[in-house]
Amino acid sequence: MEPEKERTGRTPKKGRKRRRLPNKLVGASEVMRDRWDLEERQQPEAKKACLSTILLSDTREITHGQLCELLKYAVLGKSSVPKPSWCQLFHQNHLNNVVVVILQGMSQLHFYRFYLEFGLLRKAFRHKFCLPPPSSDFLADIIGLQKKQIIGDLPKGMEGSLPSSSSEVSINLQNDPIVKKYGSKKVSLTRCLLTKEEMKTYHFPLQGFPDCENFVPIKCCGSITNNSPLFGLDCEMCLTSKGRELTRISLVAEGGCCVMDELVKPDNKIVDYLTSFSGITKKILNPVTTKLKDVQRQLKALLPPNAVLVGHSLDLDLRALKMIHPYVIDTSLLYVREQGRRFKLKFLAKVILGKDIQCPDRFGHDATEDARTALELAQYFLKYGPKKIAELNLEALASHQELEAAGLEPRNTAEVVQQLNTSVLECLDSVGQKLLFLTREADATEISSSKNCQTIKCLSNKEVLEQARVEVPLFTFSIVQFSLEPFPPNLSEEMSKRMKIKWMEMSTVYAGPFSKNCNLRALNRLFESFGPVLSVTLTLESHQPHLCIQYEVLEGAQLAIESLDGSLVEGTCIKVQRPVTELTLDCDILVNELEQDSENRGTIYLSGVSETFKEHLLQQSSLFLGLEALILPKDLKNGKQKNYCFLRFKTFGSAHRALGILTGKNWKLKGRHALTPRHLHSWLRGLPPESRPPGLRVIPPPSEQEAVQMLNLDHPKIAAWRWGRKIGKLYHSLCSGTLCLILLPGTESSGRTDTNELQQQFTRQKR
């Protein structure tokens, strides 16, 4: 939620303190509802630049290249460069300045360890996400000063849509993701198969997994060789009361012959035929009598023991079939793309094979055509090898299509790649602007010598801050770099462990007392209704039994405390509380501040959601105005949807109204306002596991000398507080219409991905 200054569009005069509204909510519910309704009905304000990261994945992770995409687009807009692939920057032409602040030496660990000290970062910056460990050329990476990569001849399929260049150019093939994975030489069929670990990662159905208990294995007693037969597979689905179910299956053998094409009648009531994708209608499916079990039996009879199935996003097809097959080639993963993204089947068909599929004038997709296309793509890869694919520079061609979709058309292939490889400096030069780089003299890099860079070298961080407050408003694009002393490795490791323990203890509750004859099964169900439970332990140290419940998410523990503390359970008044340790003493304050975090404002947490929750929510979307995103976490091991979710709304009022509806008698869910942003979930998963049992831990009192040392100005907590204030001063000196990014790069990682060294990025538009 935007701070008061942004909503009113006014900045308080210097020297005057703005009167704060009381935190306590007063007045009847009708008054609050009127306020929220007024918020929704307000007249639209003048257009302002606005960043949205709804497209960003649940892990909240982006690469240095993706960050560079945003910076270039912020400078030039869609008239010259493609839009960022991971976010949306609305009304870019209303953006006045871009400021990148780098806190060299700080990492995510600083932010989470001293969360309460970084008031501005958690309250004013709504978008927070992670970057990989910094390289030795960190600045060059984020502003795009990498080696140029240009493409040569185009595939025949693209000649009509992308004119070729008369100049012969070449690519640095070693950096192509396909060559990185497969090498440059031709590969065998077995090399293209997904490994068991890859199938596990990409949520393919596997034997022994909890969500695949009723899946039918395809006979596969034969050994796989380079001569094993390939079969293209594609399925179409519809939405039923139980989720997605199969409506059509097509199987194509080598040579393009269709050996199976069946319509299938789902077992459950259909709520959406998904006709625009499947081409299936009620009229088409009405006379069909074939069921899923018939298709499973037919498929098992058709496929030989050493068959290899080929498809595009084949995991979805196998799950629709409720079948397991260990030998698969997935063309969405075979044609590897940068940053974990995937090329669409339609794009690969045009670029690689020169054929048009899934045309908009056709009625839905043709499953047989899609199965045949996936098969031909696998055969092309085996015939020509990774090097030939890499020479096509698929990434450049995909970006060309984005430009065409925006109504732009580069003149030749060299221009396409030039736009991809243009640095921020070159973007600024093209509009007659310079980059301002403020840093300490000892930390100057090669960017300082660039002709289009105005570098100001300072003797200290204090001087950098003073210069920045004066110079930054004068430049379109600025980089302000501060240098801080990083944590020593041993201290970082110890602090990471303590952070893991802290969140574990905050997500743990003790409940009791209960009678010795209590129904443990019923109590388990009760506490699981508030959120996913990692463990439930019966504690017998007290006179009467207590339960220790460790939740997966902080919201589950907080909801259990708010709902059950002081209530009657099985005839006994119980107390529900967190363990009291040195790490949870400020827990109430921290929970309150987490709820006020700008990324959590407008987000609600719900427990008890079913697999069909998304469909029901969409069917009644008119009840939930302002809904921006639905986050449905999945189990990393089996890919199964968990029983909780997060809903993100445009305003706090919309979120509060939705929470009232969803926890009412019609939906019967349990929920509250969110406490943990998505980037925090990602970071906590990466920390080393800790087995310390929650509970009271006695710490020997420090000596007088140690206590004094802990309170001196060099203590990391004091340093965090001081830097939080310094960033606040710089932020408040920025003019309106400024895109401000704060980077916490951590330290260099020599070839390893250490969670402690992940960068934290905060993005904010100042209006």
Side-chain angles (χ1 to χ4, degrees):
M1 190 172 181
E2 305 300 333
E4 194 71 25
K5 181 171 69 175
E6 294 203 356
R7 290 202 308 268
T8 60
R10 293 179 297 177
T11 306
K13 292 182 180 179
K14 190 173 182 180
R16 288 181 56 186
K17 291 187 177 179
R18 183 173 51 202
R19 182 172 63 87
R20 287 185 172 273
L21 292 174
N23 290 330
K24 187 177 180 182
L25 295 178
V26 295
S29 59
E30 291 297 325
V31 176
M32 294 301 297
R33 190 179 302 116
D34 290 342
R35 248 169 78 189
W36 293 330
D37 289 341
L38 180 62
E39 179 185 353
E40 299 284 348
R41 295 195 302 265
Q42 280 180 341
Q43 292 296 320
E45 298 179 0
K47 289 182 179 179
K48 298 175 181 177
C50 177
L51 183 70
S52 170
T53 58
I54 298 301
L55 301 177
L56 193 54
S57 67
D58 288 344
T59 61
R60 307 296 288 179
E61 294 178 4
I62 65 168
T63 65
H64 297 150
Q66 288 177 308
L67 175 57
C68 186
E69 289 177 9
L70 171 62
L71 296 178
K72 290 191 292 186
Y73 186 77
V75 173
L76 291 182
K78 64 182 180 181
S79 60
S80 302
V81 292
K83 293 181 179 179
S85 58
W86 59 279
C87 65
Q88 292 175 294
L89 181 58
F90 299 105
H91 309 306
Q92 177 273 341
N93 56 328
H94 292 271
L95 197 63
N96 296 322
N97 305 81
V98 178
V99 179
V100 180
V101 180
I102 301 172
L103 301 182
Q104 198 71 43
M106 276 199 179
S107 67
Q108 281 183 298
L109 180 58
H110 287 80
F111 178 70
Y112 293 126
R113 176 66 182 84
F114 305 116
Y115 180 81
L116 294 177
E117 277 64 48
F118 288 106
L120 179 80
L121 293 186
R122 57 186 164 84
K123 290 182 178 179
F125 286 73
R126 190 181 183 193
H127 308 289
K128 307 179 183 78
F129 37 88
C130 308
L131 289 166
S135 66
S136 56
D137 294 324
F138 169 63
L139 266 179
D141 290 341
I142 65 170
I143 65 171
L145 287 177
Q146 72 279 3
K147 294 180 181 179
K148 306 297 180 184
Q149 294 184 9
I150 318 179
I151 63 175
D153 296 331
L154 285 171
K156 293 180 180 179
M158 290 295 288
E159 286 176 358
S161 61
L162 183 61
S164 60
S165 173
S166 58
S167 60
E168 193 67 28
V169 286
S170 62
I171 297 180
N172 182 358
L173 293 179
Q174 299 307 314
N175 290 331
D176 189 276
I178 294 179
V179 173
K180 281 183 178 179
K181 180 174 181 178
Y182 297 104
S184 56
K185 296 181 180 179
K186 291 184 180 181
V187 295
S188 63
L189 184 152
T190 54
R191 177 69 179 86
C192 296
L193 295 176
L194 289 181
T195 64
K196 187 174 182 179
E197 281 303 312
E198 287 176 320
M199 294 180 74
K200 185 177 177 181
T201 300
Y202 295 110
H203 312 307
F204 276 77
L206 293 170
Q207 278 188 305
F209 276 62
D211 62 335
C212 303
E213 292 176 354
N214 299 320
F215 281 42
V216 177
I218 299 174
K219 60 181 180 181
C220 47
C221 54
S223 59
I224 297 298
T225 68
N226 292 331
N227 296 319
S228 293
L230 302 178
F231 290 86
L233 174 70
D234 187 69
C235 296
E236 300 296 343
M237 283 79 83
C238 68
L239 278 179
T240 72
S241 57
K242 295 293 183 180
R244 290 181 180 269
E245 291 192 47
L246 183 72
T247 53
R248 182 182 176 186
I249 174 177
S250 291
L251 188 71
V252 175
E254 290 181 271
C257 175
C258 181
V259 294
M260 182 179 180
D261 187 17
E262 290 283 348
L263 292 171
V264 185
K265 177 75 68 78
D267 293 328
N268 299 290
K269 182 182 177 182
I270 298 175
V271 296
D272 190 342
Y273 285 86
L274 302 177
T275 306
S276 59
F277 298 103
S278 66
I280 305 295
T281 62
K282 183 177 181 180
K283 183 178 180 181
I284 292 173
L285 216 54
N286 264 343
V288 176
T289 57
T290 304
K291 290 288 189 177
L292 178 62
K293 61 183 179 181
D294 302 320
V295 168
Q296 291 172 336
R297 188 166 49 248
Q298 189 177 348
L299 199 58
K300 287 182 70 175
L302 274 173
L303 292 175
N306 62 340
V308 175
L309 292 179
V310 182
H312 199 80
S313 297
L314 194 56
D315 56 308
L316 302 177
D317 299 317
L318 288 173
R319 286 191 175 277
L321 285 165
K322 292 190 176 181
M323 300 189 79
I324 296 172
H325 190 67
Y327 309 132
V328 297
I329 296 175
D330 192 325
T331 50
S332 72
L333 300 170
L334 183 68
Y335 287 83
V336 189
R337 193 175 185 185
E338 293 177 349
Q339 302 152 4
R341 294 180 291 169
R342 303 192 192 189
F343 294 112
K344 293 182 179 180
L345 182 65
K346 180 178 181 178
F347 169 78
L348 291 175
K350 179 67 174 177
V351 173
I352 305 296
L353 307 174
K355 57 192 283 188
D356 293 305
I357 65 169
Q358 300 174 0
C359 298
D361 56 338
R362 295 182 188 173
F363 192 60
H365 296 181
D366 185 333
T368 303
E369 181 182 58
D370 289 353
R372 186 178 291 115
T373 300
L375 179 61
E376 290 174 2
L377 285 170
Q379 292 171 327
Y380 186 97
F381 195 97
L382 290 168
K383 181 177 180 180
Y384 293 103
K387 183 180 178 182
K388 178 70 174 177
I389 308 297
E391 287 172 350
L392 303 178
N393 203 337
L394 299 178
E395 198 67 48
L397 300 177
S399 296
H400 167 81
Q401 285 197 348
E402 292 177 15
L403 289 169
E404 277 194 331
L408 308 165
E409 190 170 350
R411 289 186 296 274
N412 51 51
T413 56
E415 185 177 342
V416 173
V417 183
Q418 183 180 0
Q419 288 175 332
L420 289 175
N421 292 322
T422 300
S423 70
V424 172
L425 283 169
E426 291 167 326
C427 290
L428 288 167
D429 189 46
S430 68
V431 291
Q433 299 289 338
K434 280 191 173 186
L435 182 148
L436 171 66
F437 182 40
L438 277 159
T439 185
R440 290 197 320 181
E441 191 167 357
D443 302 315
T445 63
E446 62 177 275
I447 186 180
S448 309
S449 57
S450 301
K451 65 177 182 178
N452 199 41
C453 178
Q454 177 70 46
T455 303
I456 300 178
K457 299 177 183 179
C458 305
L459 297 176
S460 65
N461 285 323
K462 182 179 180 181
E463 188 180 345
V464 171
L465 177 60
E466 291 171 352
Q467 290 285 349
R469 295 176 70 180
V470 175
E471 298 291 341
V472 164
L474 307 177
F475 286 79
T476 301
F477 195 106
S478 307
I479 296 178
V480 183
Q481 180 172 272
F482 298 100
S483 296
L484 300 95
E485 194 67 32
F487 286 155
N490 58 339
L491 180 58
S492 293
E493 185 177 352
E494 177 62 26
M495 291 179 71
S496 295
K497 289 180 180 178
R498 288 176 68 82
M499 283 299 301
K500 186 75 171 181
I501 294 171
K502 183 182 182 80
W503 288 104
M504 181 183 73
E505 290 179 344
M506 287 181 60
S507 302
T508 299
V509 298
Y510 280 93
F514 298 103
S515 67
K516 294 180 181 179
N517 299 321
C518 62
N519 186 338
L520 288 178
R521 183 173 295 181
L523 290 175
N524 279 346
R525 287 197 300 268
L526 174 63
F527 284 99
E528 286 174 354
S529 67
F530 299 107
V533 172
L534 295 177
S535 65
V536 179
T537 308
L538 184 64
T539 303
L540 300 174
E541 293 296 325
S542 52
H543 175 63
Q544 290 179 282
H546 284 68
L547 288 179
C548 174
I549 305 100
Q550 185 181 343
Y551 285 92
E552 182 181 324
V553 292
L554 180 60
E555 287 85 353
Q558 187 65 23
L559 195 55
I561 293 172
E562 294 168 347
S563 303
L564 295 180
D565 186 32
S567 63
L568 283 173
V569 177
E570 295 196 346
T572 305
C573 182
I574 66 168
K575 186 171 182 61
V576 183
Q577 60 186 336
R578 290 187 175 88
V580 179
T581 73
E582 76 280 6
L583 297 178
T584 60
L585 289 175
D586 62 354
C587 190
D588 291 341
I589 298 173
L590 186 55
V591 166
N592 182 63
E593 292 300 326
L594 282 167
E595 191 168 338
Q596 301 303 317
D597 189 298
S598 58
E599 194 168 353
N600 288 331
R601 299 286 290 174
T603 303
I604 60 174
Y605 160 84
L606 295 171
S607 178
V609 300
S610 64
E611 291 185 357
T612 59
F613 172 74
K614 181 179 178 180
E615 285 72 36
H616 293 157
L617 187 74
L618 294 176
Q619 287 172 5
Q620 301 188 44
S621 57
S622 59
L623 295 175
F624 307 105
L625 299 177
L627 179 62
E628 285 187 327
L630 166 63
I631 300 104
L632 289 164
K634 291 185 177 181
D635 191 299
L636 295 178
K637 293 181 179 179
N638 56 31
K640 191 175 180 180
Q641 178 186 314
K642 295 188 177 181
N643 67 342
Y644 71 96
C645 73
F646 293 90
L647 297 181
R648 184 169 180 173
F649 293 84
K650 289 182 179 179
T651 65
F652 176 80
S654 298
H656 195 83
R657 277 200 304 273
L659 184 62
I661 295 171
L662 292 165
T663 55
K665 61 181 181 180
N666 292 330
W667 291 77
K668 298 180 181 178
L669 299 174
K670 293 181 179 177
R672 72 175 321 280
H673 290 282
L675 295 174
T676 45
R678 283 187 288 166
H679 63 90
L680 179 57
H681 286 291
S682 175
W683 188 74
L684 289 173
R685 279 199 302 267
L687 288 179
E690 284 299 318
S691 58
R692 165 183 164 183
L696 184 63
R697 182 181 172 206
V698 179
I699 302 294
S703 65
E704 185 177 344
Q705 185 179 359
E706 288 174 337
V708 172
Q709 288 176 348
M710 290 174 68
L711 290 175
N712 68 30
L713 292 179
D714 292 330
H715 190 271
K717 184 174 184 178
I718 304 298
W721 176 78
R722 289 165 59 197
W723 275 104
R725 293 197 57 172
K726 288 179 180 179
I727 296 303
K729 289 180 181 179
L730 177 57
Y731 173 77
H732 290 300
S733 70
L734 303 178
C735 61
S736 61
T738 298
L739 173 66
C740 180
L741 296 91
I742 311 290
L743 304 183
L744 280 60
T747 55
E748 266 188 52
S749 176
S750 52
R752 61 192 179 90
T753 305
D754 186 347
T755 308
N756 299 338
E757 295 175 348
L758 284 178
Q759 302 171 51
Q760 179 77 26
Q761 175 169 332
F762 305 86
T763 310
R764 169 72 163 162
Q765 301 81 49
K766 190 160 189 271
R767 300 176 187 170

